[in-house]
Amino acid sequence: MRNYLLIGGSRGIGAAVANILSAQGDEFTVISRSDPGSIAGLNQHIPRDVILDDLSDIDVGKSIDGLVYLPGTINLKPFRSLKTSDFEEDFKVNVLGAVKVLKTFFPHLKKGHLPSVVMYSTVAVNQGMPFHSSVASAKGAVEGLVKSLAAEWAPTIRVNGIAPSLTDTDLASRLLDTQVKKENAEQRHPLRRVGEASDIAAMTCFLLSEKSAWVSGQIIGVDGGLSTLKV
Ligand SMILES: NC(=O)c1ccc[n+]([C@@H]2O[C@H](COP(=O)([O-])OP(=O)(O)OC[C@H]3O[C@@H](n4cnc5c(N)ncnc54)[C@H](OP(=O)(O)O)[C@@H]3O)[C@@H](O)[C@H]2O)c1
């Protein structure tokens, strides 16, 4: 049994991660603004906004075996319509929030058993896509953070990123809220569907687990083949 900290386990990919950990018999603490509800394995829910609130008083015990940072943004607009403040907001949620959380819980990770950190990029970092300039800039920084920390914290703490394509969660709901949008999105993917939260959660739980003990500093595409296949 391992003990994890999920920043955002209340909805979307984070809730799917919580379900898998629960089924595996692992334990976890969730920090999020809304309540994740009761689920086996949940040690405690700490209601907090990790961007706005102080985190220094949070008690997660002496050690954690892994941490997942889930807050993210999908702010898609033509470059001419994006304000500098949009770029700042995307950087704040995707990068600075992760930095704040990792600074806070680094001592706990260091004391964990084969500790592992997972963060999220997007398929739109490696494959240029129109209207993604703000989110792709922020997620590109997440990829840099993943690789830098993986190097700095080796061999003790593993750090990896997942680069999903469009996945059916609240965050992506505006991109999938009509049948036409959904079908167009499905057709864009070589595997002819959009992602489910469980697709990304399965990779997350692999990266958290001891099964991936020789994997660090990677950005793994879970994207229905979009980043690598032309069919
Ligand atoms: N869905 C996609 O299509 C897609 C594609 C590419 C990359 N990604 C990335 O994958 C990650 C997870 O995405 P998702 O679709 O699962 O997102 P989501 O549905 O918006 O869920 C995000 C989770 O983070 C928590 N959270 C957000 N802001 C927070 C804050 N300030 N303080 C504390 N908790 C916060 C939310 O809980 P509360 O609201 O309760 O606080 C929720 O549990 C993100 O980094 C996203 O950028 C997603």
Side-chain angles (χ1 to χ4, degrees):
M1 186 190 73
R2 286 166 67 75
N3 178 29
Y4 298 113
L5 176 59
L6 307 183
I7 311 300
S10 54
R11 300 183 284 113
I13 294 164
V17 169
N19 280 332
I20 296 175
L21 297 179
S22 175
Q24 288 176 178
D26 289 320
E27 292 191 347
F28 49 93
T29 292
V30 169
I31 301 178
S32 60
R33 296 163 301 184
S34 58
D35 196 320
S38 72
I39 176 168
L42 178 64
N43 286 329
Q44 56 171 334
H45 170 237
I46 300 168
R48 214 56 77 91
D49 183 322
V50 296
I51 308 298
L52 300 176
D53 297 338
D54 180 28
L55 307 180
S56 60
D57 62 323
I58 290 177
D59 182 2
V60 293
K62 283 199 169 53
S63 69
I64 50 176
D65 303 322
L67 185 153
V68 186
Y69 183 81
L70 291 134
T73 52
I74 306 183
N75 183 14
L76 307 186
K77 287 183 195 163
F79 183 69
R80 67 171 184 281
S81 309
L82 284 164
K83 301 188 179 76
T84 304
S85 58
D86 290 316
F87 283 81
E88 285 168 349
E89 181 62 21
D90 282 346
F91 198 81
K92 207 191 301 175
V93 175
N94 289 286
V95 186
L96 297 182
V99 168
K100 180 177 174 184
V101 161
L102 289 168
K103 279 185 169 288
T104 304
F105 297 107
F106 172 69
H108 306 78
L109 279 165
K110 224 167 89 176
K111 293 193 195 100
H113 177 64
L114 297 174
S116 168
V117 173
V118 180
M119 292 185 251
Y120 300 89
S121 177
T122 165
V123 67
V125 169
N126 256 319
Q127 193 180 63
M129 294 182 182
F131 312 139
H132 283 69
S133 58
S134 180
V135 66
S137 300
K139 292 298 199 182
V142 170
E143 294 196 6
L145 183 65
V146 164
K147 294 195 179 213
S148 300
L149 293 182
E152 195 167 322
W153 293 350
T156 312
I157 304 172
R158 296 184 299 111
V159 185
N160 290 289
I162 297 174
S165 185
L166 188 57
T167 301
D168 191 1
T169 67
D170 292 351
L171 185 65
S173 58
R174 271 186 303 150
L175 304 175
L176 293 170
D177 59 4
T178 68
Q179 197 54 31
V180 172
K181 284 186 194 173
K182 192 154 188 251
E183 281 169 15
N184 285 343
E186 287 168 352
Q187 288 310 310
R188 272 202 311 276
H189 289 82
L191 297 184
R192 295 291 181 258
R193 67 173 176 86
V194 297
E196 296 295 332
S198 58
D199 293 315
I200 316 302
M203 179 57 75
T204 305
C205 291
F206 170 70
L207 290 173
L208 285 175
S209 76
E210 296 174 25
K211 290 179 195 155
S212 60
W214 212 42
V215 180
S216 193
Q218 298 295 325
I219 307 295
I220 299 178
V222 182
D223 58 13
L226 188 65
S227 63
T228 46
L229 309 179
K230 187 170 170 58
V231 296

